[in-house]
Each structure stands twice: as C-alpha cells, then as structure tokens.
Amino acid sequence: MSKIKIAILVSGQGRGSNMQAIIDACRDGRISGEVVAVIGVKPDAPAIERAAAAGVRTFILNPKDFADPADYDRELLSTLASVQADLICLAGYMRKLGRPIIDAYRNRIMNIHPALIPMFFGQGMYGHHVHEAAIERGVKVSGCTVHFVDEDYDTGPIILQTVVPVEDDDTPDTLAARVLVEEHKTYVQAIQLFAEGRLVVEGRRVRVLPR
Ligand code: GAR
C-alpha cells in the first residue's frame, strides 16, 4: 500500500502527545503514512520542539503575523501543497480553519476532540474546559471523537468515538488522562482507515468499509 502524506497542525501551547502518537504509528507501520510536516504558530511551542526532536520537518506560520486572514490561508495552502499533503490532522489546534482550506481539503482534514460530540463541544470547549464541564455536569461516560473538519467548530462528520467511564472520584485531570490514552489509539485508527481508503462520507455520516 502506498503511504499517505500527513501534515499535522498544532497550537502554540500544545504539548504534542497526539502528534507524537501519529509520528510513532507511522514509523512502526500502524499507519501506512508519513508525517511530512508539523505546522505550528511559534518555534518554542512544546509540540514544535518535539517534532523537530523526532526529525520531522516543521513550519511556523502565525496568523497574527498576517494583517489579512486571507494571506494566512494562502500561505498555509501553499505550505500544504509544497509537502503534497494528502491528509491534514489537527492535534490540539484550536483555531477555526479558513474556508479556502476547508474547500481545498474537504473530508481530508481530521480533528481529535476530547469528548463524545455532540457533548461538550463547540467554540471555547477545548482541552481542560471539556473535562471540567463533563465533571460538573455529572456525566457517567465521556471519551473522544475523531471527526472530519467542516466550516464550524467540531460539527463535521464523525469518524470514530471511544467511550471511557467517569469515576465518582474523578477530577478534570484524572478524566483527561484516561481520555488521552484513548485519543492516541483512536486517532491512529481513524488515520489508518483513511489511508486504507475505507472512509466514505455520506452527508454527516461516515461509513467504514469492510476490509
Ligand atoms: C487533546 O486532548 C485534544 O483532544 C484537545 O487538545 C489536546 C491536545 O493535546 N483538542 C481539543 O480540545 C480540540 N477542540 P496534545 O497536544 O497532547 O495532543
């Protein structure tokens, strides 16, 4: 099977654990792919340092450096084209992507979210906030969702979800840690399904073709 080329987008604060899980899975063959770029917003972000340490090509593009958001979109598109990305993976990337990027890579951009969408999702619901909200609401299960990215926050077609229990004595930190273990596995599985050409998007549903 030919390998897909993956570009990963990370944020300024991101620790890069999902990014690392994807790099590792490409290297040990669980993903038939290669991480050809990690794109971040600042050079000293933990995820960027981690990518560089792993020998992956990094690019820094900070939206704040562009007076016009359309210029940022153009630069991002040209970076993605220069590495011939087949798939873009958001890994702790919290911004909404511009319309030109969504249009150019429709159903080829994935995101991982640390809850079972449509619970605890949307603008402002990211990272720790998600687990705080889940504990506060008293849900008995949470988990993670890998989905294709569309124009809005966390609304695109859902590819895979994994459920974890919420224990009585959980804190946001303990729940986050339990979910994160599953994020790494679920993201790798979703990317491999994509690499195998087994994901068919029908409206808001994603069908997984049998082998
Ligand atoms: C992950 O838990 C991911 O699900 C979350 O940010 C964290 C990044 O961690 N993403 C969102 O909340 C997106 N809405 P990582 O940098 O260690 O992968």
Side-chain angles (χ1 to χ4, degrees):
M1 189 188 306
S2 67
K3 289 186 174 185
I4 58 162
K5 292 188 165 74
I6 302 167
I8 303 179
L9 268 59
V10 297
S11 75
Q13 293 73 38
R15 46 184 176 193
S17 74
N18 278 287
M19 174 203 75
Q20 187 75 57
I22 297 167
I23 293 171
D24 292 347
C26 286
R27 290 188 173 163
D28 69 19
R30 282 173 295 139
I31 293 176
S32 320
E34 183 195 354
V35 178
V36 291
V38 171
I39 305 172
V41 297
K42 51 179 200 173
D44 59 350
I48 289 293
E49 289 178 345
R50 222 166 154 173
V56 175
R57 203 166 163 203
T58 60
F59 296 83
I60 304 301
L61 285 181
N62 193 337
K64 291 189 186 138
D65 293 340
F66 297 85
D68 183 350
D71 290 336
Y72 169 76
D73 289 347
R74 260 191 293 278
E75 196 60 35
L76 183 53
L77 274 177
S78 105
T79 304
L80 293 165
S82 75
V83 295
Q84 297 178 303
D86 300 304
L87 177 70
I88 303 167
C89 292
L90 309 188
Y93 184 83
M94 308 303 181
R95 291 181 70 253
K96 207 192 264 191
L97 286 173
R99 188 66 195 242
I101 294 147
I102 306 283
D103 284 342
Y105 289 88
R106 173 93 39 200
N107 297 333
R108 294 195 294 143
I109 310 173
M110 287 185 188
N111 180 43
I112 179 100
H113 183 74
L116 297 172
I117 292 172
M119 282 196 282
F120 313 119
F121 77 114
Q123 188 164 17
M125 262 307 161
Y126 58 87
H128 214 254
H129 302 293
V130 176
H131 305 295
E132 279 165 12
I135 299 275
E136 190 280 324
R137 184 60 186 83
V139 291
K140 300 297 184 189
V141 293
S142 191
C144 62
T145 303
V146 180
H147 63 93
F148 284 119
V149 172
D150 67 6
E151 297 60 23
D152 220 328
Y153 285 104
D154 304 328
T155 53
I158 291 171
I159 303 165
L160 291 177
Q161 294 186 299
T162 303
V163 178
V164 306
V166 179
E167 309 290 357
D168 289 348
D169 59 354
D170 263 336
T171 63
D173 283 343
T174 59
L175 178 58
R178 191 176 307 118
V179 171
L180 191 64
V181 172
E182 300 306 322
E183 288 186 42
H184 298 160
K185 294 188 225 162
T186 310
Y187 216 168
V188 165
Q189 281 166 11
I191 295 168
Q192 179 57 10
L193 288 171
F194 179 92
E196 291 173 1
R198 293 172 57 199
L199 299 178
V200 180
V201 182
E202 293 170 349
R204 298 188 77 193
R205 302 185 77 180
V206 179
R207 205 148 52 86
V208 178
L209 297 179
R211 262 179 216 282

